[in-house]
């Protein structure tokens, strides 16, 4: 696999050891163009970077070496891990994002992502449950890579986890709102098992639901808790 070096100055000066790497974080660039994204990720003023960037033709750029901590996750949490820059590899996919015209990821882009993810997962023994989107680890701030990202397809290729609920069973439960407090508590417990971190702030909880939906129920990203979400969340916990 060809990877082009296009190195960014944005990383911790201290090297990290191989066994620190536990999580793979997927992003979209959310900017008007590939050129602009590369420029930002490589500008010392921006203070952001990632390890890799994949453009729409499937070309892979290496911006930061794996043994360096890149600056892509920001304030974040997943399971027992906090502020994930130091424990993760970040991959940016070129996509204008929700602000500038969110489009499907190209199949070449996903093919390249699949290849490089396989290598990273094997090399650092990353668990499937620790392959996440930026929105999963920072749900109050981030929405990338968004609902068009093909999590289901990748999970079938053993990249990430997925549920095994029957679509016809799920569909009946979509939009059936959960109002019962016990069921809400059940859902929250499942989310925590999966890895989501959140406080009990009721006002912000819809953002957590949204992050979950973008990843595991992208047909309807409403921020409203329904029975389908609960069934999926319960099923996912059996796959961890
Ligand atoms: Zn991001």
């Amino acid at each position: 696999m060809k990877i082009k070096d296009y190195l960014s100055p944005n990383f911790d000066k201290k090297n990290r050891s191989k066994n620190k790497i536990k999580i793979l974080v997927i992003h979209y660039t959310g900017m008007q163009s590939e050129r602009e994204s590369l420029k930002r990720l490589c500008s010392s003023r921006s203070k952001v970077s990632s390890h890799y960037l994949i453009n729409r033709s499937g070309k892979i750029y290496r911006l930061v070496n794996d043994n360096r901590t890149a600056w892509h996750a920001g304030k974040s949490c997943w399971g027992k891990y906090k502020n994930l820059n130091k424990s993760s590899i970040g991959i940016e996919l070129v996509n204008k994002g929700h602000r500038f015209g969110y489009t499907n990821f190209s199949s070449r882009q996903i093919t390249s992502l699949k290849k490089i993810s396989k290598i990273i997962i094997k090399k650092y023994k990353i668990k499937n449950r620790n392959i996440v989107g930026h929105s999963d680890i920072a749900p109050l701030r981030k929405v990338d890579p968004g609902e068009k990202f093909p999590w289901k397809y990748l999970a079938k290729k053993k990249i990430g986890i997925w549920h095994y609920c029957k679509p016809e069973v799920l569909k009946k439960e979509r939009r059936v709102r959960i109002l019962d407090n016990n069921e809400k508590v059940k859902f929250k417990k499942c989310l925590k098992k999966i890895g989501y971190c959140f406080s009990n702030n009721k006002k912000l909880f819809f953002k957590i639901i949204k992050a979950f939906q973008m990843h595991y129920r992208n047909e309807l990203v409403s921020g409203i808790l329904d029975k389908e979400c609960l069934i999926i969340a319960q099923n996912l916990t059996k796959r961890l």
Side-chain angles (χ1 to χ4, degrees):
M1 197 180 46
K2 266 207 330 214
I3 299 176
K4 187 177 164 48
D5 278 328
Y6 196 98
L7 297 177
S8 166
N10 301 334
F11 55 82
D12 288 2
K13 295 298 166 253
K14 209 177 141 216
N15 278 7
R16 61 180 179 180
S17 63
K18 206 175 156 183
N19 60 17
K20 287 275 184 292
I21 299 167
K22 303 285 184 196
I23 297 161
L24 179 59
V25 184
I26 311 293
H27 304 259
Y28 68 44
T29 50
M31 295 186 80
Q32 293 282 13
S33 70
E34 175 185 339
R35 233 186 66 192
E36 221 182 304
S37 307
L38 276 171
K39 208 174 148 190
R40 179 155 189 266
L41 292 164
C42 294
S43 149
S44 55
R45 266 180 305 169
S46 76
K47 302 254 187 298
V48 293
S49 61
S50 65
H51 293 92
Y52 302 94
L53 176 139
I54 306 176
N55 75 9
R56 293 191 60 85
S57 322
K59 188 171 175 182
I60 305 174
Y61 294 92
R62 176 186 289 109
L63 309 181
V64 174
N65 281 309
D66 290 0
N67 65 346
R68 302 283 199 173
T69 296
W71 302 337
H72 60 97
K75 192 174 186 308
S76 52
C77 171
W78 189 247
K80 62 182 176 187
Y81 304 103
K82 281 197 179 64
N83 297 320
L84 305 180
N85 281 339
K86 55 187 183 297
S87 50
S88 67
I89 298 267
I91 302 180
E92 288 275 359
L93 301 172
V94 171
N95 191 311
K96 289 185 182 178
H98 294 86
R99 265 181 72 198
F100 299 112
Y102 188 37
T103 50
N104 282 327
F105 295 91
S106 77
S107 58
R108 284 179 170 183
Q109 213 171 13
I110 297 304
T111 301
S112 294
L113 174 66
K114 207 167 67 187
K115 285 185 191 160
I116 195 164
S117 299
K118 287 269 182 201
I119 294 169
I120 292 166
I121 292 164
K122 200 173 165 197
K123 191 167 178 187
Y124 304 109
K125 299 188 180 71
I126 293 175
K127 290 180 182 154
N128 268 326
R129 60 185 296 170
N130 290 337
I131 298 167
V132 293
H134 202 184
S135 55
D136 294 314
I137 62 167
L140 302 186
R141 302 186 295 117
K142 296 292 175 179
V143 292
D144 61 315
E147 69 280 4
K148 292 183 195 290
F149 185 77
W151 288 111
K152 183 180 180 180
Y153 167 80
L154 290 170
K156 278 188 188 159
K157 308 284 175 193
K158 299 195 166 65
I159 300 167
I161 60 164
W162 196 252
H163 59 82
Y164 47 94
C165 305
K166 290 199 173 93
E168 60 275 18
V169 175
L170 287 178
K171 237 182 165 176
K172 278 187 265 174
E173 309 297 337
R174 191 170 299 165
R175 297 177 204 271
V176 180
R177 276 189 87 150
I178 289 183
L179 301 166
D180 178 72
N181 208 38
N182 281 335
E183 293 205 306
K184 279 185 195 166
V185 171
K186 269 188 205 164
F187 180 71
K188 287 182 180 175
K189 274 187 184 163
C190 290
L191 287 198
K192 286 197 169 152
K193 270 190 201 160
I194 294 165
Y196 290 93
C197 304
F198 50 91
S199 65
N200 269 335
N201 186 326
K202 277 187 186 169
K203 273 191 185 160
L204 294 175
F205 193 62
F206 78 98
K207 291 203 173 190
I208 315 289
I209 298 172
K210 264 193 169 171
F212 174 82
Q213 290 171 337
M214 282 193 287
H215 192 141
Y216 296 107
R217 206 279 301 273
N218 61 357
E219 294 91 340
L220 177 64
V221 180
S222 58
I224 296 168
L225 178 58
D226 59 30
K227 288 227 168 151
E228 184 183 19
C229 293
L230 176 61
I231 296 170
I232 291 171
Q234 285 174 324
N235 201 297
L236 285 169
T237 59
K238 295 175 194 156
R239 293 226 136 182
L240 302 174

